Each structure stands twice: as C-alpha cells, then as structure tokens.
Amino acid sequence: MNSNKAPLPKWALTALLLAGIIAISFSSIFIRWSSAPASIMAMYRLFLTGLLMLPFVLRQRPDVRSITLPDWGRMVLSGIFLALHFLFWMESLRFTSVASSTILLALEPLFVLAGAYWMFRERTTPRAVAGMSAAILGAALIGWGDMGITVQALQGDLLSFLGTAAVAVHMLIGQHVAKRIPSLFYSLTVFTVAAVSFLLYNLAVGISITGYPMREWGIFLLLAIVPTVFGHVLFNWLLQYVNAATVSMSVLGEPVGATLLAFLLLGEKLNPLQALAGLVIIWGVWYFLRHNRVHYEARDSSALEA
C-alpha cells in the first residue's frame, strides 16, 4: 500500500470493492453473448478502455521522465500477464460453464498470498486465513456439481487455471508499482501493452481484426465499460490503499455474481448446493476483509529491485 495515501473509510472501501465485484461478474455474460474470438474481444476491450481513460490520464499524467526504466519494464511485464489472463480465461468459457470457469479464479488469492510472501514478506492473520479458506471452499462447492470430466471441460478448466495464475502475477506487479506511479497512468499503460500484445497475436495467427457486426462492437464496448473500467481499473486504483491479497479476496465474489447472472441471463442451472456455497463465499470474503492485517518480515529491499 502507498503509505502516503490517507486510508479510505471502511464503508467506502467495502462499497467500492462490492461495486467492482458486481462489474466483473458481468464479464463472463458478455463473453458468452459474443461469437468473436477471445483474443479479438480482449484486444478491443482493452483498446476501448484505453480510449475511455485517456482524457482523465492526460489531466493527471505524471512526469514520465521520473519513471525509472525498471518500472517501465514492470508495467510492460504486467501488461503481458494481463493479456495472458484474458486470453486463457476468456477462451475457457468456450469449453466449460461459467460456474466451472469462475470457480478456478478462487485460486487467485492463494497465488497472490504465496507471491506476496516471497516478494514482499507479507503475512496476514490466522482469522484472515480462515476467512480466505472458507471463501475458497465455497467457490469450490459452486462448481462441484458443474465440473465435467470430458476432455473439453478439462481443457476449459486448465485454461481458467492458467489465466488465474497470470492475473495473480499481474496483481503482484501492480501492488509494487502502484506505490510510485499514479494508478490511472499505470492502468492505461498496462492495458495498452496488453492490447498491443493481442494485436500482434491476432496478426501472427491470422485472426481477422476487422469485419465484425455492430452487435459485436456493442459487446466490446460493454466489456470495456463495465468489467474493465468499473472492475479492473477500480481494483488497480484500490491497490494504493489495500494490498493485492485483499483485492484478490474480493474477486472471490465473482463466482457468486457470475453464477447468478448466468442463471438469469443464460439459463445455466443453479442448484441449492451452489446457492449455499455463495453464502459461504460472501461470509468468507467479509471475514477476511474484517480481520486482514498485513505484517512484513525484514528482507533486503534489493531483492525487489532485481
């Protein structure tokens, strides 16, 4: 967290995290509505997000000359891992259900906590770990009855797993860089790198980047505004006030929102076990946020600059 920032009131932090959870829960719905390739959806989603953010960033842009070369490198790396997250996770929704795909996002806090301990020597409280464990258990129950054993379903599960690992790396880099670089500028830079990565990928594999109907462009715009601006950009901004593990834990609410929306808008089944699991997740996230207190062990700071 940025120690120079005044802390947010708990009610404001909770409200913003809840808004972000609701926003990202729509992502899987919009993706299911689209027939465009996942890499095309992700590319235009990120390019359009950048255009929406540009006027605000220009008003608050930092002195780019003060940004060190290592931090530029970290932002580029963060953008590449964000691109990998979108590519793997969005593609997973072609092979498995919304519940099965979003359940594996529940592994993100484990990756983030492990990475935060290794990179920053962060430790949290036993009660916070208990809350995290309850939320992960609840997320596992959501997809329990939905996870298939077919090759197609397992392929989708593997893609979602890889996407979760990639976004954990993206979040950890963001936590480190957000201490020195304004969050909007960081987000715009990372999204631009990710969008350009997708452009190069699409050109390399021969995927057409033009010729999509207006309906698809409407979905691209919805993906940019709802889950990206009000989800990812908001979470990047909150990294100034909370650690990456807290943001990742909040994202565990996505399986609840996504499963409910899939039931209402896509006709996917929602059984009593999944509904009960949703309540477990909500309690686990609340308990984690209530008791999470980050502690740091002494470590040579030069390791972070390597």
Side-chain angles (χ1 to χ4, degrees), residues 4-267:
N4 296 323
K5 291 284 185 179
L8 286 175
K10 283 188 176 180
W11 68 265
L13 175 61
T14 302
L16 290 171
L17 289 171
L18 179 61
I21 291 170
I22 294 172
I24 62 175
S25 295
F26 276 94
S27 183
S28 55
I29 305 302
F30 297 151
I31 292 168
R32 278 294 189 87
W33 283 348
S34 175
S35 58
S39 57
I40 290 294
M41 282 188 284
M43 182 184 75
Y44 284 120
R45 169 184 185 171
L46 293 165
F47 271 131
L48 290 171
T49 300
L51 290 176
L52 292 171
M53 292 177 62
L54 190 59
F56 302 97
V57 175
L58 289 176
R59 288 206 302 257
Q60 301 177 357
R61 67 185 183 277
D63 182 0
V64 295
R65 293 171 298 182
S66 66
I67 301 176
T68 65
L69 186 60
D71 277 342
W72 280 113
R74 292 183 183 101
M75 287 193 289
V76 170
L77 191 61
S78 180
I80 292 172
F81 273 99
L82 180 63
L84 289 173
H85 161 66
F86 280 132
L87 178 64
F88 291 139
W89 179 70
M90 294 171 74
E91 190 66 27
S92 75
L93 290 167
R94 304 294 193 196
F95 299 96
T96 190
S97 70
V98 169
S100 290
S101 182
T102 54
I103 163 47
L104 289 170
L105 291 175
L107 295 174
E108 181 184 338
L110 294 181
F111 290 125
V112 170
L113 281 177
Y117 177 78
W118 177 69
M119 293 175 63
F120 310 122
R121 283 297 186 259
E122 286 185 6
R123 294 182 299 122
T124 188
T125 65
R127 287 186 176 183
V129 172
M132 180 188 72
S133 301
I136 291 175
L137 174 62
L141 290 174
I142 280 185
W144 182 262
D146 188 68
M147 281 189 174
I149 57 173
T150 64
V151 173
Q152 178 174 309
L154 290 175
Q155 182 178 353
D157 296 341
L158 176 60
L159 288 170
S160 183
F161 178 86
L162 293 174
T164 302
V167 77
V169 177
H170 161 71
M171 291 296 299
L172 287 166
I173 296 174
Q175 176 180 333
H176 186 46
V177 176
K179 298 175 182 179
R180 296 178 298 278
I181 299 174
S183 63
L184 287 181
F185 182 81
Y186 166 76
S187 293
L188 177 61
T189 303
V190 168
F191 290 162
T192 301
V193 170
V196 171
S197 298
F198 276 118
L199 175 61
L200 296 176
Y201 172 83
N202 289 324
L203 293 175
V205 300
I207 298 177
S208 175
I209 61 174
T210 60
Y212 295 96
M214 288 302 299
R215 179 180 182 276
E216 294 294 337
W217 283 99
I219 294 174
F220 300 159
L221 186 59
L222 284 173
L223 281 167
I225 294 174
V226 181
T228 313
V229 172
F230 290 101
H232 289 276
V233 174
L234 176 59
F235 288 143
N236 284 341
W237 180 79
L238 285 173
L239 286 173
Q240 302 172 92
Y241 302 94
V242 297
N243 63 337
T246 297
V247 173
S248 295
M249 270 303 301
S250 301
V251 173
L252 279 180
E254 181 179 359
V256 180
T259 301
L260 288 173
L261 289 171
F263 172 74
L264 295 172
L265 301 176
L266 301 178

